[in-house]
Amino acid sequence: EKVRNALQVLLQIAFFGEERDKKEEIAQCDIYVPFDKEKYNMGSFPLSKEILDSGIALGRRLYPTFKHLADSLDSIYGKQEVSKNRLPDVKPVVISAVEVRGLQNTTTDFLIHTMDFYLNREYSIDKLTRMVRAAYGTRYYSRVTYSLQPLDDGTCKIIFDVKENPLTFAKVGLHYNKFSGIAAIVNFTSRNLFTPSSRSMIKLNIGESFRARAEHLQYLGRRKNFSLMLNSQYDRFNVTTYNTYKQDGLYKQQFLLLDARTQHSSYRNLSVGIGERFEWLYYKPAFNSLFDFKGSNTFTTSYFFLTHNSLNKSIYPTRGVKIHSSFEWVSAQKPDINFFVNGQPTKPDSIKVDKSAYGRILLTMNSFSAFSRTVTLEMLLQGGINFNYRRNIMNEFSIGGLTPLFRNQIRFAGLQEGSLYSPAVAAVQAGLRYEMFNNTYLTGRANVLFNNFISKSDFFQNPDLLTGYSLTFGYNFALGPLELSLMYSDQSKKVVGYINIGIPF
């Protein structure tokens, strides 16, 4: 009787989303759990954790009753053997017709070409799933689903039901970081603006630091898995300089990038390609330090790159890997630089700058593994090597910070951005993130950094080994993550604060 009453209550909750009116009948089965219909409605995705917790609590209360029932049946009829994989095998089907519903801005050909779909071929469920994900990965669609309709000749008709993203949209956000200051970030993106199967974007960072980016991506080929990207970017930063981990100066830095590359994306999460970029950098001291330089440098870089992204979320992911690696050849530079010691210019040609070409390698790999529903392991591997780089300048790796913000940055828990510069760096960071409450996190990180191997700069004197740690309180809200951190480095012997609010440029 208790089991029957329990099942009736479960069915009442599952199908009607409401409680029984007769409280005494619910009490008879000893499993009463309050159910808030307004709170736990089917559209409440932000409350998924609370909904799961409520279901787990109900299941634990029901377990003794059903366990007693199972033991009673086993004692009468004997223990029942449950066979695994009882579902029948799903065989591939031949698809001879296709229909697409919901298209307004794109065409049927565009959709099925991005999936590499052909009529009168055999498809399995797994293959159809990968094809749908490939179409979704173009970001032209916010939803792609399908159904199969049997035909009289034994084949099937596939019906795609899609919901398109708007072709043109704008986004506005706020971001604050101690390094870059406070800024409003504005993004305008339009698809098929100049040419079919393309995406054009303008992005602005307006605030204490000014940044601007313009980008055009042109999809090529039947599957749209080849693409050509043209990109330009301008940055203007105030960069603090450090001497033995103490602030001793300030630079005004400007950076201009012109970039062209072509790439191939096999499954939308893996891309390989080649490119060529032009870079111009200009440094000007705002406050003089012991050793300064003023001037510019220009150079072009040819590169091969590989990227992979399988993260399940862009913010606070719990599983997946994100990789960016590149092999580059920097052509002969054209530096125009003057050096100063204690604010006074040095003698001409007393400090020589190398203009010769050199190779470099860059690698950044983030991985996330969930130990449980609330605990996630984070790993960060970073490396950058400029080969034969001793008296070159303006292309070193900048060490410090917890948030990726600018070119050549090597994140390091324990030091502020730009605390050290080096031509060859390898860093490993491990972190453990605990979700205390919904969207509220506590993350501890520790890292070690190896310096001055393969190449060693004649302009910067740095230790060969760095170790550091951080503890971060994070809260994910409408504007993005709010993160408050304390950092410590064994070399600086200082505890420093670090604040990041929102998603960076």
Side-chain angles (χ1 to χ4, degrees):
E1 185 66 21
K2 276 188 175 183
V3 172
R4 187 187 69 180
N5 291 339
L7 289 173
Q8 288 178 349
V9 173
L10 283 176
L11 291 173
Q12 189 80 13
I13 292 175
F15 291 101
F16 298 102
E18 58 189 14
E19 299 174 12
R20 295 282 301 272
D21 292 329
K22 297 180 180 180
K23 302 294 184 181
E24 64 277 4
E25 293 185 19
I26 299 174
Q28 290 177 4
C29 58
D30 299 327
I31 63 158
Y32 175 68
V33 177
F35 189 86
D36 188 341
K37 181 181 178 182
E38 296 299 324
K39 183 177 181 181
Y40 300 116
N41 59 78
M42 293 186 66
S44 300
F45 291 106
L47 298 172
S48 58
K49 182 181 177 183
E50 289 88 339
I51 295 173
L52 289 173
D53 290 341
S54 177
I56 291 171
L58 181 59
R60 286 173 177 169
R61 294 182 118 178
L62 281 171
Y63 178 78
T65 302
F66 286 110
K67 182 66 167 61
H68 177 72
L69 174 62
D71 292 340
S72 299
L73 293 173
D74 288 343
S75 65
I76 298 172
Y77 301 104
K79 191 171 182 62
Q80 181 184 6
E81 295 295 332
V82 179
S83 61
K84 297 181 179 180
N85 301 321
R86 290 173 291 171
L87 294 175
D89 292 334
V90 179
K91 297 181 179 180
V93 296
V94 175
I95 298 177
S96 59
V98 61
E99 179 184 349
V100 182
R101 299 171 181 173
L103 294 180
Q104 293 181 351
N105 301 316
T106 58
T107 64
T108 298
D109 285 346
F110 178 85
L111 177 69
I112 64 176
H113 288 174
T114 57
M115 295 188 291
D116 198 26
F117 178 84
Y118 292 89
L119 290 177
N120 300 313
R121 290 191 180 181
E122 198 173 67
Y123 293 95
S124 64
I125 295 298
D126 291 339
K127 188 172 183 179
L128 287 173
T129 300
R130 291 194 300 267
M131 291 162 56
V132 167
R133 287 177 177 171
Y136 181 80
T138 64
R139 298 188 180 182
Y140 275 84
Y141 309 99
S142 61
R143 185 189 69 197
V144 181
T145 60
Y146 72 89
S147 59
L148 295 175
Q149 186 180 94
L151 300 178
D152 294 338
D153 59 0
T155 63
C156 287
K157 175 183 179 180
I158 190 168
I159 302 173
F160 292 104
D161 188 0
V162 305
K163 183 178 180 181
E164 296 176 318
N165 285 318
L167 289 182
T168 302
F169 57 88
K171 295 181 181 179
V172 179
L174 293 175
H175 178 249
Y176 172 78
N177 185 278
K178 184 177 180 181
F179 174 81
S180 58
I182 190 169
I185 300 178
V186 182
N187 181 306
F188 299 95
T189 300
S190 182
R191 300 182 185 276
N192 303 345
L193 179 63
F194 300 111
T195 57
S197 305
S198 68
R199 186 204 69 202
S200 303
M201 180 191 74
I202 295 178
K203 192 173 184 179
L204 301 173
N205 184 102
I206 305 171
E208 296 179 49
S209 300
F210 179 77
R211 310 180 73 181
R213 180 188 303 161
E215 183 179 282
H216 180 78
L217 175 66
Q218 181 67 54
Y219 291 107
L220 303 171
R222 182 180 187 274
R223 293 181 55 190
K224 308 298 185 289
N225 54 354
F226 285 92
S227 60
L228 173 66
M229 181 181 291
L230 303 176
N231 180 40
S232 63
Q233 181 170 328
Y234 172 79
D235 293 345
R236 188 188 66 216
F237 281 121
N238 290 329
V239 181
T240 302
T241 59
Y242 295 85
N243 184 13
T244 62
Y245 311 106
K246 296 180 181 179
Q247 181 176 345
D248 76 334
L250 184 71
Y251 276 94
K252 292 184 178 295
Q253 174 187 305
Q254 297 183 66
F255 168 66
L256 176 65
L257 167 73
L258 302 175
D259 183 35
R261 68 184 184 187
T262 181
Q263 65 184 34
H264 172 69
S265 302
S266 56
Y267 291 104
R268 307 296 176 191
N269 60 2
L270 175 67
S271 298
V272 295
I274 58 174
E276 182 86 10
R277 67 173 179 261
F278 167 83
E279 296 176 75
W280 171 82
L281 296 105
Y282 178 79
Y283 280 30
K284 178 182 178 181
F287 299 105
N288 291 325
S289 58
L290 179 64
F291 176 77
D292 292 316
F293 62 89
K294 176 183 177 181
S296 64
N297 193 11
T298 60
F299 49 88
T300 59
T301 303
S302 304
Y303 60 93
F304 166 82
F305 69 92
L306 181 148
T307 62
H308 170 70
N309 188 346
S310 62
L311 301 183
N312 62 333
K313 295 188 292 184
S314 59
I315 301 175
Y316 294 122
T318 56
R319 66 177 184 274
V321 179
K322 185 176 182 180
I323 300 174
H324 178 84
S325 60
S326 63
F327 305 87
E328 305 181 349
W329 180 257
V330 181
S331 67
Q333 300 100 74
K334 298 178 181 178
D336 182 12
I337 299 172
N338 296 314
F339 293 92
F340 301 85
V341 177
N342 291 322
Q344 300 300 317
T346 61
K347 295 181 180 179
D349 298 328
S350 61
I351 301 178
K352 295 183 178 180
V353 176
D354 194 351
K355 303 178 181 180
S356 59
Y358 58 91
R360 65 195 318 243
I361 297 175
L362 297 91
L363 171 67
T364 301
M365 182 175 71
N366 273 103
S367 70
F368 299 85
S369 303
F371 283 162
S372 67
R373 190 168 49 86
T374 58
V375 180
T376 302
L377 173 67
E378 302 179 1
M379 295 295 296
L380 173 61
L381 174 64
Q382 299 172 97
I385 301 173
N386 290 328
F387 296 95
N388 300 319
Y389 189 103
R390 296 188 65 87
R391 304 196 67 83
N392 302 79
I393 201 163
M394 290 191 180
N395 211 14
E396 299 83 13
F397 298 99
S398 177
I399 300 170
L402 296 175
T403 306
L405 294 170
F406 51 89
R407 65 183 291 273
N408 286 352
Q409 181 186 4
I410 300 294
R411 285 171 279 168
F412 185 80
L415 298 175
Q416 301 282 9
E417 290 88 351
S419 293
L420 297 172
Y421 292 87
S422 174
V425 179
V428 179
Q429 182 183 107
L432 205 61
R433 186 176 74 225
Y434 172 63
E435 187 174 4
M436 300 183 293
F437 312 104
N438 191 35
N439 290 321
T440 305
Y441 304 88
L442 191 65
T443 306
R445 296 183 177 94
N447 49 205
V448 59
L449 184 145
F450 303 94
N451 204 6
N452 297 328
F453 60 94
I454 298 181
S455 293
K456 188 172 182 178
S457 174
D458 290 342
F459 298 111
F460 302 99
Q461 305 301 318
N462 299 318
D464 295 334
L465 181 71
L466 293 172
T467 52
Y469 321 89
S470 69
L471 183 64
T472 301
F473 169 82
Y475 177 69
N476 191 21
F477 69 120
L479 293 178
L482 183 155
E483 296 178 322
L484 308 175
S485 304
L486 291 176
M487 303 191 301
Y488 176 79
S489 172
D490 294 316
Q491 286 68 42
S492 68
K493 307 292 183 183
K494 292 181 180 180
V495 177
V496 294
Y498 189 89
I499 301 175
N500 184 81
I501 302 175
I503 301 173
F505 181 78

